[in-house]
Amino acid sequence: MNNLDRMSQNLLQLLEQQDPDVARLLADEAGRQETTLELIASENHVSSAVMHAAGSWLTNKYAEGYPGKRYYGGCEFHDQIEDLARDRAKELFGCGFANVQPHSGANANVAAFMAMCKPGDRILSLPIKSGGHLSHGLKPNFSGTFYDIVEYDLDPETELLDYDEIGRIARETKPNMIICGFSAYPRTIDFEAFRRIADEVGAVLMADIAHIAGLVAAGVHPSPLPHAHVVTTTTHKTLRGPRGGLVLTNDEEVAKLVDRKVFPGSQGGPLMHIIAAKAVAFGEALDPSFKTYSAQVVANARALASALVGRGYRLCSGGTDNHLMLVDLQPRDAALTGADAERWLESAGIITNKNGIPNDPRPPMVTSGLRLGASALTTRGFDEDAMVEVAELLDRVMGSQGDESTCRTVREEVRALCSRYPLPH
Ligand code: DSN
C-alpha cells in the first residue's frame, strides 16, 4: 500500500465514523468501479494522485479572479497552482493560452460562445442526433436558446463528415461561427478543412475536443490548435483528469475575451481543488507513458471494433480511428434496442450507454445503437486480446436477449477479468 492509498484508507475510516451512510455508498461505488467493465466513451479512471488533489484543502477557498488579481486574500498557493495548471496545459497542447477555470465542458463552451459571438449570431454545427453535443445548439440548451443555429450533417451513405457539403451549407447560411468536435464521431477530424471553410465564409472556428483531448495531447490525433480560433475541452475523458473544462487558444485577443467570459462572464469562484487535480493530470499527460497509453487506447478500440464486426454488428462509418465506436445493433438483431442492450449489459457488469445512430428511427431514450469507448479499460491495462474477450462477453449478453442465467455467468467472468486487470492506484 503506498502513501496515497493509506491516505484514502484513513479518509474512509474517518468518514465511516462521522457519516456511515455516505461512507457505505462511496465504498459501494468504489467496488462497482473495481468489478465492472467501463465502456462509456466519456469516462475513465483517474490516478489516486488526481483523486486526492480533487479532495484536498483547496476546496475551502474562494479565489474569484485570476492569479495575481484575486478578489480574496489568502490566494498565495492558489495562484501558484493555477499558474502551474495553465503552464502545463499550454505545454501539453502546444498553445499560448489556457483558461483552466471552467467547471465543465459545457461551461467552457458557454465562455467560448460568449467570447466569439453576440446573442443572436448564427452558428453552424452538427446536431446531437448525428453525434454533436447538446451545448452545440440543442434548442433547450443555452446554445439553442440564445443563438441562431444552423446545421450540417454526416453523409447519409458513408456516415462521415462531408467537407464539400459542409462548405456548401456554410456558403449558403453564412454563419458567424462554425463548431467542429463531437461526442459520438469515431473518425479523425480534418481541422484544417474546417478552417478553410471558416475562412471562406468569414466565420470563426471553434473546436470542442472534449472526447479526443487525450489523443490530441499524446499526438495520436491531429491537433486543432494551428487551425481553430478557440478550442474547448473537458479534462476527464481521454485526458484522464478530474471532471472539468478547459479553454485553449493561440490568439491573444481571444484569450483576453475568454478570460472575461469565464470570470466574471459566466462563473464565480473557481473550483481550486479541481484546478489542482487538473494540474496533476496535465503533469501525468506530459509524461512519455501517456503517449503509450493513448496509442494503446486507439489500438484497443480497433481490436474491439473488428471483433464486434466479426460477430455480425455494424459499426457506423465502418470502424474507428479514435477511442470510440458507434455500434448499430440492427444487423445483429432487428428487435434489439440500445436501451435493452444497456440494461442487460449492466446486469452482467458491463457498463455502456445507448446512443442514437445517424438517422436512428428510434427515440433518444431507446435508440438502435450503443456507444463504446476503450479509454477506461486501457487504463486498467487491457490489451487487444483482452478486448476480443470483451467483444465475446458483449455478444453473449446481447445474443441471449438478456437471459438471466447468461447474464449471471457473464457477471462472474467480468469479475474474473477485472481481477486480472485491477485498477491502478
Ligand atoms: N455527455 C458527454 C458524453 O458522454 O459524451 C458529453 O458531455
Side-chain angles (χ1 to χ4, degrees), residues 40 42 133 183 211 237 371:
I40 293 177
S42 47
H133 188 254
S183 293
H211 264 267
K237 298 182 174 99
R371 188 186 62 165

Side-chain angles (χ1 to χ4, degrees), residues 56-341:
S56 65
W57 304 269
L58 279 75
T59 195
N60 293 333
K61 192 78 195 86
Y62 254 117
E64 280 181 11
Y66 290 99
K69 286 171 282 180
R70 304 282 190 188
Y71 288 83
Y72 293 82
C75 289
E76 179 187 353
F77 304 115
H78 298 262
D79 282 2
Q80 293 178 50
I81 283 168
E82 186 164 348
D83 276 336
L84 200 55
R86 294 198 294 198
D87 288 346
R88 287 182 182 175
K90 288 188 275 184
E91 187 182 346
L92 192 56
F93 290 97
C95 62
F97 165 86
N99 187 307
V100 295
Q101 291 195 4
H103 303 330
S104 69
N107 284 52
N109 288 348
V110 172
F113 274 58
M114 288 173 74
M116 311 309 283
C117 299
K118 298 185 301 300
D121 272 3
R122 180 165 289 174
I123 292 169
L124 175 62
S125 64
L126 185 76
I128 193 168
K129 69 174 175 57
S130 303
H133 188 254
L134 62 93
S135 65
H136 297 178
L138 193 69
K139 257 280 162 250
N141 185 260
F142 85 93
S143 50
T145 305
F146 298 117
Y147 299 92
D148 173 22
I149 303 296
V150 287
E151 296 175 348
Y152 58 89
D153 214 332
L154 302 177
D155 179 280
E157 294 302 315
T158 62
E159 297 166 324
L160 296 171
L161 293 165
D162 176 346
Y163 297 94
D164 291 340
E165 178 63 5
I166 297 167
R168 189 195 63 72
I169 296 171
R171 284 188 292 278
E172 193 179 291
T173 57
K174 301 200 174 7
N176 303 92
M177 183 163 87
I178 299 176
I179 303 180
C180 59
F182 315 101
S183 293
Y185 187 68
R187 296 303 193 166
T188 300
I189 301 165
D190 186 344
F191 295 115
E192 201 176 344
F194 269 108
R195 176 60 187 255
R196 267 198 304 274
I197 296 167
D199 282 349
E200 202 189 323
V201 300
V204 295
L205 180 64
M206 169 179 151
D208 177 347
I209 58 166
H211 264 267
I212 55 170
L215 308 184
V216 168
V220 300
H221 187 291
S223 171
L225 271 147
H227 311 296
H229 298 90
V230 65
V231 174
T232 60
T233 181
T234 54
T235 47
H236 50 271
K237 298 182 174 99
T238 49
L239 196 48
R240 209 165 56 181
R243 304 193 72 75
L246 173 67
V247 186
L248 307 165
T249 181
N250 275 319
D251 183 317
E252 212 179 313
E253 286 311 304
V254 171
K256 284 187 200 145
L257 285 168
V258 166
D259 270 357
R260 282 207 291 275
K261 298 306 178 185
V262 171
F263 174 83
S266 57
Q267 290 189 170
L271 308 176
M272 291 308 303
H273 53 307
I274 297 301
I275 290 175
K278 286 174 185 171
V280 175
F282 299 156
E284 291 176 356
L286 282 164
D287 189 90
S289 61
F290 194 75
K291 285 193 195 310
T292 315
Y293 161 71
S294 301
Q296 189 63 48
V297 167
V298 174
N300 281 352
R302 285 207 178 119
L304 178 61
S306 75
L308 287 170
V309 169
R311 289 174 178 276
Y313 297 87
R314 189 185 78 82
L315 297 184
C316 296
S317 83
T320 177
D321 300 327
N322 58 24
H323 63 301
L324 71 81
M325 67 214 69
L326 199 48
V327 187
D328 177 1
L329 302 168
Q330 293 167 97
R332 176 73 172 80
D333 175 355
L336 181 58
T337 69
D340 282 340

